Amino acid sequence: MRLRCPFAAASVWWTGRDNEVMRKRVLGSTLLPSEAANGHEWLKLQDLAEVEVTSEADGYPIETVFNFGAGPGWRAASPGIQRIRLVFDQPQSIRRMRLQFNEPDVARTQEFTVRWSGYSDELLKDVVRQQWNFSPNGSTAESEDFAIDLKRVSILELTIDPDRGAGEALAKLADWRLA
């Protein structure tokens, strides 16, 4: 197929592989803008907060969800609703949140809620509430990337209802990042 370049002199033609007009740059393995945290580093939560969790299965510790995808992720030790709470040493501003859930084995409908508070004695306010249907033969992963604008966050809590109240499935979380 031959294409005519509307931006060049009338005599310039190229095929799909012979692009003489387009400027380009080979990025290699650098992060694309969608992977970077809006020009900011992802927070190193291990250094900034204490994590509280309702349970954790052997071999799936909660700290692995804060390792930027390195590790097995977290899994609850028992079925039912689970909570993961970050209690920050100093209040933080949070502009972006990324969550990754994987479920390759069980068909289920999960609901998660993220809430926050600026003070330890203040009621938690909803940031996001969402449902997802997992299916071993189809959708086995949920990846969410939220642009948020929270100032002076002291507590950030993720509640996972792994099977919308049935109480039979285990909650799982692969990755949780904040910027």
Side-chain angles (χ1 to χ4, degrees):
M1 175 175 169
R2 290 175 51 100
L3 302 171
R4 184 174 190 284
C5 176
F7 306 109
S11 62
V12 176
W13 289 87
W14 74 88
T15 63
R17 300 180 74 95
D18 299 329
N19 186 347
E20 298 174 9
V21 178
M22 178 61 69
R23 292 174 291 135
K24 73 177 178 181
R25 174 176 25 171
V26 177
L27 296 175
S29 63
T30 60
L31 295 177
L32 297 174
S34 63
E35 291 295 308
N38 292 335
H40 301 283
E41 299 268 332
W42 292 112
L43 297 177
K44 292 184 176 86
L45 297 171
Q46 306 89 322
D47 299 336
L48 301 173
E50 178 179 25
V51 63
E52 301 172 347
V53 63
T54 50
S55 73
E56 67 181 10
D58 289 339
Y60 298 92
I62 189 61
E63 56 270 20
T64 62
V65 304
F66 307 113
N67 289 337
F68 306 107
W74 168 82
R75 186 175 295 177
S78 57
I81 297 172
Q82 303 289 320
R83 285 186 180 77
I84 302 168
R85 179 180 280 194
L86 294 171
V87 181
F88 291 97
D89 299 332
Q90 301 294 320
Q92 299 292 317
S93 292
I94 301 174
R95 295 166 304 284
R96 187 172 177 193
M97 177 174 57
R98 181 179 289 176
L99 294 162
Q100 173 76 38
F101 301 92
N102 297 325
E103 177 53 82
D105 304 318
V106 179
R108 61 185 176 88
T109 300
Q110 169 179 286
E111 180 175 291
F112 74 85
T113 306
V114 177
R115 296 181 182 92
W116 79 285
S117 172
Y119 303 97
S120 60
D121 59 348
E122 183 179 64
L123 290 176
L124 297 173
K125 299 171 280 280
D126 283 3
V127 176
V128 65
R129 177 183 306 257
Q130 188 160 317
Q131 293 181 9
W132 185 265
N133 295 320
F134 290 103
S135 171
N137 297 324
S139 178
T140 61
E142 175 186 11
S143 183
E144 303 295 345
D145 198 333
F146 300 101
I148 55 180
D149 186 22
L150 303 176
K151 307 280 192 242
R152 301 196 48 79
V153 177
S154 292
I155 297 171
L156 191 65
E157 181 181 273
L158 171 62
T159 302
I160 304 170
D161 186 344
D163 56 4
R164 302 237 8 252
E168 297 175 7
L170 293 174
K172 300 174 184 177
L173 178 62
D175 192 40
W176 190 6
R177 301 180 194 195
L178 304 171

